Amino acid sequence: MAAASTSMAATAALLPPRAARTPVAAAARVASSLPYMPPRFSSHPAKRCSEPRRLLLVPIRASSDDTSAPVDAGELFTDLKEKWDALENKSTVILYGGGAIVAVWLSSVVVGAINSVPLLPKIMELVGLGYTGWFVYRYLLFKSSRKELAEDIEGLKKKIAGTE
């Protein structure tokens, strides 16, 4: 009994009296081994937000570049109408445009479905990182492979444009 009262007296002597009485301090003692510290409040408001106040003192002026003319909506529409009238296969352009919109929507649905499976997004990220690493090693790391990649891209451009 004497040992218990001695340890309680030692504990009471170590704790500050205010901390022992407040319920927040009791919760802090249970959650953390650090002693309860009351919050500090600065008497001067500029000390608390000195960084944003400094940014407000910098003058910001908007300026326009006189070399670029504003885009005229009528001119833009007439230009688009001329290009549309110059097309021979309008149905093909509409079909490709509609197909592109459907492909974007469908890929969005597929990505959303894959994202909802618990472990699959992380596996896909890992596959993407692996492929990125392989691509960098195969095509970007060495000068000869960079030249090969540039030649492949130029060949693909010529094939798409129909000049090959």
Side-chain angles (χ1 to χ4, degrees), residues 37-129:
M37 298 290 289
R40 293 187 198 175
F41 294 106
S42 175
S43 61
H44 196 271
K47 287 183 182 176
R48 283 187 284 171
C49 60
S50 61
E51 198 64 31
R53 184 169 285 239
R54 247 188 278 152
L55 291 176
L56 291 175
L57 297 176
V58 176
I60 299 173
R61 293 188 181 147
S63 64
S64 65
D65 193 10
D66 293 334
T67 60
S68 66
V71 177
D72 184 26
E75 185 178 323
L76 181 67
F77 285 130
T78 56
D79 188 35
L80 285 175
K81 188 176 183 318
E82 288 173 6
K83 288 184 180 181
W84 179 254
D85 291 337
L87 287 175
E88 294 177 13
N89 296 330
K90 294 179 175 88
S91 60
T92 306
V93 172
I94 292 173
L95 187 66
Y96 282 153
I101 291 171
V102 169
V104 167
W105 172 76
L106 189 62
S107 64
S108 171
V109 169
V110 169
V111 167
I114 287 174
N115 202 21
S116 66
V117 177
L119 195 56
L120 205 52
K122 296 298 179 187
I123 292 172
M124 297 298 272
E125 285 181 22
L126 190 61
V127 168
L129 284 172

